[in-house]
Structures are given as structure tokens and as C-alpha cells.
Amino acid sequence: MKTIALFPKVKQPDAKKLAEQVITFLKEKKIHVVVEDDKAEVLNQPPLSSANPGEIKYLITMGGDGSILRVAHMYHYLDAAILGINLGHLGFMADVQIADIIPCLEDLVNQKFSIQKRIMIEGTSPSGETFFAMNDCVLHRARNPSLVEMAIYVDDLYLNTFEADGVILATPNGSTAYSLAAGGPILSPDIEAFVLTPICPHTISNRPIVLTPNQEIQIEYVSENEPIEVVSDGLSRFELQTGETIKLRRSPKTFKLVNLTRIDFFSTLRTKLGWSGKLR
């Protein structure tokens, strides 16, 4: 096994102690560990910037699903799979619980896992800039006090004009995030599809729609109102003016997650959503 990069939380004493335990375990297994630069001094470990990016095999985040998204965006140039250790509520991506850290790291070292390559969204802004999303791209009414209208086209074919708070285009990975809260369906993470979900639409007949990722989605902001916001994974954002269009499609890149054999998506789903099975 090559180098592993660790992205810990260190502000809370318990989190720092857990990070030190992870480092100690990996070093005992003869694995070279580097730590995100701004945490390296606190943990007395080599900084990420000192490592050859091509030698970094895995990224381990300590936090939640948001930590995974942040790392995936900030360090997109690292061709490495991510393992998420959850320090709070169980996450859909950061699904390693604190009590299971050492057994899960044992599985990682012993190659008891698979790598899931999850599809991503690639977008083009009106200015021609490219942006990416692992979870979702959200168009939201922002400063507007009322609903806004967005015309949707799929491969240049008109789909509908939604009058709503906004719309979400989510990957299967993001189908359990904002899209789910807005009434969208849960997609199994290995399905290759996008789900388009209107946010609080004015017409209740407007429903989420599942699309093939091989189709290009164009969204035009048609209301004569204030600009709306386009937000990718809750991290990057820009404004869309009246009459402007963004284009969304499948990215040639994939988002790689470590899928441990001891953890399965449906178990995480039941636990996270509080499903209890048959009512009695």
C-alpha cells in the first residue's frame, strides 16, 4: 500500500485524539501518512504538500459527508478513493462509525473493499466556465421574495417551465441529500441516472423526473426578477441573470469511494432514515 492522506478535525480534543489513533494504526502497518497542510503541525506529521500526488492511494476524511465533498472539490487533482469516518450523525458517504474505526481500517489494509466510481455532473456557466458536482447542482431563487420561472430543455427538447423556489439536478450520490428533502426519489448509488427535482413548485402536478446521464440538460432563467443562484454541492456558487442558460451533463470524471464489505448502502439507508420495518 502506498501513501494515505488524512483530513482530520483537530479543534475538539476527542477528534484530535481519534486522528492520532488513526495515524498510529496506519504507521504500525508500515503506511506512509500525510496530513492536510493546516493540520500537519498540530499532529506532528508530514504535510500533504510534501507528498507526490501520484503516490497517494487513498484519502481518509474525518467529519461527515460535507467533509468528503469539501476534500473532493479542493483536492480534485488527486486520483484517489475516499474513505469517510463519521464524527457526528451517520452519513451516506462517511459511513464509518467511531466504534468501527479500527476494524474498518483493518479491512482497508487487507483490501477487503471495492471502489465505487460514482457519476458526477459537469456544468457550463453562461460565461463558459466549467464546474462540477458530486451531489447536486441547485438553482435557487436567492434574493427573490417570490417564486421564479426556469425553462428546462433536455437535449434541446423542451421539457417544462417550472415556477418554483428552484430546481435540483442530483446524481444518485446526491439523491439522498437536498433532492430527497424536496421530495425526490432515492436512487441506488450504482445506478447511472440524474434526478431533476423542483423545489416547492407552484403546480402540484410538477414531479421529479429521472433522466439518463447521457442527456444534456439546459436550464434557462426566464423570470424578469433578481438574479438567481447556481450552487454546486453547497460549496461553489454564481448568479444567473434573466435570459441566461446553464448546461448540465455527465462529467467524464468519476467520484471514487471506498466501499467496505462490512458496510452496505441499504443498512446505512435504514439507519439514517430511521426505517423500522413493519408497523405493529
Side-chain angles (χ1 to χ4, degrees), residues 170-226:
T171 64
N173 194 71
S175 69
T176 51
Y178 193 5
S179 177
L180 178 63
I186 296 171
L187 302 182
S188 180
D190 54 353
I191 288 177
E192 295 196 345
F194 291 146
V195 56
L196 183 71
T197 306
I199 306 169
C200 299
H202 188 262
T203 303
I204 61 172
S205 62
N206 287 337
R207 289 290 184 263
I209 180 170
V210 177
L211 301 167
T212 168
N214 298 321
Q215 296 170 303
E216 182 179 79
I217 297 96
Q218 303 97 33
I219 305 178
E220 179 186 5
Y221 177 42
V222 297
S223 294
E224 296 285 346
N225 293 345
E226 292 290 315

Side-chain angles (χ1 to χ4, degrees), residues 150-270:
M150 290 149 291
I152 314 292
Y153 299 82
V154 179
D155 285 342
D156 295 322
L157 297 175
Y158 175 65
L159 172 65
N160 189 33
T161 297
F162 289 110
E163 185 178 4
D165 275 350
V167 293
I168 305 164
L169 186 71
T171 64
N173 194 71
S175 69
T176 51
Y178 193 5
S179 177
L180 178 63
I186 296 171
L187 302 182
S188 180
D190 54 353
I191 288 177
E192 295 196 345
F194 291 146
V195 56
L196 183 71
T197 306
I199 306 169
C200 299
H202 188 262
T203 303
I204 61 172
S205 62
N206 287 337
R207 289 290 184 263
I209 180 170
V210 177
L211 301 167
T212 168
N214 298 321
Q215 296 170 303
E216 182 179 79
I217 297 96
Q218 303 97 33
I219 305 178
E220 179 186 5
Y221 177 42
V222 297
S223 294
E224 296 285 346
N225 293 345
E226 292 290 315
I228 60 174
E229 270 193 334
V230 180
V231 185
S232 299
D233 287 340
L235 295 170
S236 63
R237 65 190 67 225
F238 61 89
E239 288 189 337
L240 197 67
Q241 306 284 340
T242 300
E244 290 185 329
T245 298
I246 65 166
K247 297 181 179 180
L248 304 169
R249 67 194 70 83
R250 180 180 184 159
S251 170
K253 300 180 181 179
T254 56
F255 173 41
K256 297 194 290 187
L257 280 176
V258 174
N259 182 32
L260 298 172
T261 55
R262 69 175 58 238
I263 299 172
D264 72 271
F265 172 73
F266 299 112
S267 174
T268 300
L269 198 63
R270 290 194 304 274

